[in-house]
Amino acid sequence: MNKAEILIIDDEPQIRKLLQINLESNDYKVIQASNGKEGLILAANHPPEVILLDIGLPDKSGHEVLKELREWYNKPIIILSVQDNETDIISALDNGATDYLTKPFRTGELLARIRSAIRRSQNTTNNSSIVCGDIEIDFVARIVKRKGEIVKLTSTEYNLLILFAKNEGKVLTHQFILKEIWGYGYQTETQYLRVFVGTLRKKIEENYNNPQHIITESGVGYRFE
Amino acid sequence: MNKAEILIIDDEPQIRKLLQINLESNDYKVIQASNGKEGLILAANHPPEVILLDIGLPDKSGHEVLKELREWYNKPIIILSVQDNETDIISALDNGATDYLTKPFRTGELLARIRSAIRRSQNTTNNSSIVCGDIEIDFVARIVKRKGEIVKLTSTEYNLLILFAKNEGKVLTHQFILKEIWGYGYQTETQYLRVFVGTLRKKIEENYNNPQHIITESGVGYRFE
DNA sequence: TATTCCAATATAAATATTTTATAAAAATTT
DNA sequence: AAATTTTTATAAAATATTTATATTGGAATA
């Protein structure tokens, strides 16, 4: 029994109907909005477990809705997009979307993606702490422990670790990390990142010549495990 | 029971007859056109599941027909060509043809290619993940797994694999691949491609002396299965 | 049919280039 | 002044390109 609530924001009634049938038959409770404004109101009144958002709304409001949602909503937002609209997808992911699906999609994959998103979000946002192997992060107290011992981190180091931990298993590009931690205009300062990844590794890796947590993806970015 | 419709566009009546007999005995419904104009009309009136197009028509109209078709038709177009007309084949593939067969062809091969093309066109939803046999690509996480294990790819290798995976089953010419991965001006550097196909095969093929995923189409390019 | 030859492809290895890691100095913030 | 961040410099590692050589498969020849 799930009964987790899912909000669908899409202007196409057929898509909403299709989603509704599939989701309800899998024990999700479905709420629907046919435009961005309505979606924002519904989400605010009764925050759902997952939001499915059509990014390619005719009035281009999908991107704005995503940004507005992300100002306060930190559960999964899965983007729905028509095929061949890669630009939309990439910009959505950079703006905090959790995942995406292109229409037409297979039901099996949709359900799998929803399950995976919920699982991940329960590991992170819901709880006030994350445990990744020997690393333990307490968001409320802003404390990080390694094998039970408190690790002293500077605020940049801490922010970086949080960003990694919230995106466990995902490759984060240099650009993305720099934008998230330092803000726009810093996206080319890759050296900052190297320095801080270095200090973080020294503090959280067992053997920092052979990092097990922060993995380098040469030419691309880093991945946290 | 298939009853998928196949449109043949070829000026040689013997070839049309031969194809018709073979295809109908395999439960396909066959429509025929003896020239490009007729073919375009038939295709527009009743879009078939696959089009077999003779590219080497005497008046060279095959190429034009292909281009016109590709403006709206996105199902498989398999090129028929006389042997030794590699230029024709390559230009057709670069213009969006799915596959090719050289006359005279073996019936078994023809049928296999048609089946494969149909299968592919039915699941081309380019989604946030692709599964091809034991290979699994997650675009969001930017991670490739083989039998569940993460495969470490360099960024060029990854880009190449993505290009292949997004065009599964389709023959990609050297030129096309080089243009997509390295950009204009690199279209003659076929050796780059060989080196990278080599390293990719080592990483994703079970037995890389007998590649099952990246298939060589000698003189033309590669195909991903 | 078997053999030779050729062009295309594959592989290995050397070199060049780019990217990353690290230390440490300088600047800034607390 | 201490802690932290930014900048600079340099070493090390990873990746890409180039070169050399081997292998393969098809066409031509005997």
Side-chain angles (χ1 to χ4, degrees):
Chain A
M1 276 297 266
N2 279 301
K3 283 298 172 197
E5 288 187 22
I6 298 182
L7 169 61
I8 302 167
I9 309 178
D10 197 314
D11 62 330
E12 292 174 76
Q14 317 93 291
I15 298 278
R16 290 206 307 275
K17 191 70 193 165
L18 171 75
L19 288 170
Q20 188 195 354
I21 292 169
N22 277 301
L23 294 174
E24 286 184 345
S25 70
N26 279 276
D27 274 332
Y28 294 104
K29 188 175 169 201
V30 175
I31 320 163
Q32 300 179 33
S34 60
N35 60 62
K37 206 171 171 183
E38 200 188 326
L40 284 166
I41 294 169
L42 283 174
N45 283 340
H46 195 57
E49 202 53 46
V50 177
I51 294 177
L52 302 182
L53 173 65
D54 178 13
I55 202 77
L57 296 173
D59 55 344
K60 284 280 166 203
S61 73
H63 289 283
E64 288 157 35
V65 174
L66 174 62
K67 276 183 199 165
E68 279 198 53
L69 279 171
R70 271 295 178 245
E71 285 169 14
W72 60 274
Y73 180 83
N74 49 22
K75 287 182 178 172
I77 300 177
I78 298 176
I79 297 304
L80 307 177
S81 158
V82 290
Q83 211 166 7
D84 291 335
N85 214 332
E86 221 160 67
T87 333
D88 266 0
I89 292 169
I90 291 171
S91 114
L93 287 171
D94 278 342
N95 281 310
T98 311
D99 204 346
Y100 71 86
L101 277 167
T102 53
K103 304 175 191 174
F105 39 72
R106 279 160 295 184
T107 328
E109 183 168 2
L110 167 71
L111 292 168
R113 296 263 153 199
I114 290 175
R115 279 195 302 274
S116 142
I118 290 179
R119 196 178 337 112
R120 256 179 296 156
S121 90
Q122 281 170 350
N123 267 340
T124 58
T125 44
N126 246 2
N127 290 336
S128 57
S129 72
I130 290 185
V131 179
C132 297
D134 55 357
I135 303 296
E136 198 185 327
I137 306 169
D138 185 327
F139 293 106
V140 180
R142 283 181 72 91
I143 280 178
V144 175
K145 287 183 182 176
R146 176 163 173 281
K147 296 188 173 174
E149 295 281 300
I150 289 183
V151 180
K152 193 169 151 39
L153 297 181
T154 72
S155 93
T156 308
E157 287 163 4
Y158 179 80
N159 292 337
L160 190 55
L161 180 60
I162 295 303
L163 184 65
F164 278 136
K166 283 195 173 172
N167 293 285
E168 196 189 341
K170 233 166 137 177
V171 176
L172 304 180
T173 64
H174 300 130
Q175 278 217 338
F176 174 79
I177 302 172
L178 287 161
K179 194 191 77 197
E180 291 294 312
I181 306 290
W182 282 269
Y184 284 99
Y186 287 81
Q187 307 191 354
T188 53
E189 304 286 355
T190 8
Q191 185 55 21
Y192 290 12
L193 196 46
R194 296 203 183 104
V195 172
F196 279 91
V197 165
T199 63
L200 248 187
R201 279 181 176 152
K202 276 184 192 161
K203 293 181 180 182
I204 67 169
E205 298 284 359
E206 181 109 32
N207 168 9
Y208 91 120
N209 296 314
N210 175 27
Q212 298 299 304
H213 286 299
I214 306 177
I215 314 292
T216 330
E217 299 280 342
S218 191
V220 185
Y222 296 92
R223 176 165 52 91
F224 188 73
E225 292 290 343
Chain B
M1 275 298 266
N2 279 301
K3 284 298 173 197
E5 289 185 21
I6 298 182
L7 169 61
I8 304 167
I9 308 178
D10 197 315
D11 62 330
E12 293 173 76
Q14 318 92 288
I15 299 277
R16 290 207 305 275
K17 191 68 194 168
L18 171 73
L19 288 169
Q20 188 194 356
I21 291 170
N22 277 303
L23 294 174
E24 286 183 346
S25 69
N26 278 277
D27 274 333
Y28 293 104
K29 189 175 167 200
V30 175
I31 320 164
Q32 300 180 33
S34 59
N35 60 62
K37 204 170 172 182
E38 200 188 326
L40 283 167
I41 294 169
L42 283 175
N45 284 340
H46 196 56
E49 203 53 45
V50 177
I51 294 177
L52 302 182
L53 173 64
D54 178 13
I55 203 77
L57 296 173
D59 55 343
K60 285 279 165 201
S61 74
H63 289 282
E64 287 157 35
V65 174
L66 173 62
K67 275 184 200 166
E68 278 198 54
L69 279 172
R70 270 297 179 244
E71 284 170 15
W72 60 274
Y73 181 83
N74 50 22
K75 287 182 177 171
I77 299 178
I78 298 176
I79 296 304
L80 307 177
S81 159
V82 290
Q83 216 162 11
D84 293 334
N85 213 334
E86 222 159 65
T87 333
D88 266 359
I89 292 171
I90 290 173
S91 114
L93 289 170
D94 280 338
N95 281 310
T98 310
D99 201 349
Y100 67 91
L101 275 168
T102 49
K103 304 177 192 174
F105 39 73
R106 280 159 300 182
T107 325
E109 185 173 356
L110 167 72
L111 292 168
R113 286 187 190 257
I114 290 174
R115 278 196 304 274
S116 147
I118 290 179
R119 189 172 351 105
R120 260 82 209 215
S121 84
Q122 281 169 350
N123 59 5
T124 47
T125 47
N126 68 331
N127 262 332
S128 54
S129 75
I130 287 184
V131 179
C132 300
D134 55 356
I135 302 297
E136 197 185 328
I137 306 170
D138 187 324
F139 295 108
V140 175
R142 205 191 171 283
I143 274 179
V144 176
K145 288 183 180 177
R146 174 160 174 283
K147 296 187 172 173
E149 294 281 300
I150 289 184
V151 180
K152 194 168 155 38
L153 298 180
T154 72
S155 111
T156 308
E157 287 162 4
Y158 179 82
N159 293 336
L160 190 55
L161 179 61
I162 294 304
L163 184 65
F164 278 134
K166 285 200 171 169
N167 293 284
E168 193 191 343
K170 203 171 148 178
V171 179
L172 303 180
T173 63
H174 298 132
Q175 276 218 339
F176 175 80
I177 302 172
L178 287 161
K179 195 189 75 200
E180 291 293 312
I181 305 290
W182 282 271
Y184 285 99
Y186 287 80
Q187 308 190 353
T188 53
E189 304 286 355
T190 4
Q191 183 56 17
Y192 289 12
L193 197 46
R194 296 203 183 104
V195 172
F196 278 91
V197 164
T199 63
L200 248 188
R201 279 181 176 152
K202 276 185 192 159
K203 292 182 181 184
I204 67 168
E205 298 284 359
E206 181 109 32
N207 169 7
Y208 90 120
N209 296 314
N210 175 27
Q212 298 299 304
H213 287 297
I214 305 177
I215 315 294
T216 310
E217 299 279 340
S218 192
V220 182
Y222 296 92
R223 172 212 305 269
F224 188 73
E225 296 286 348

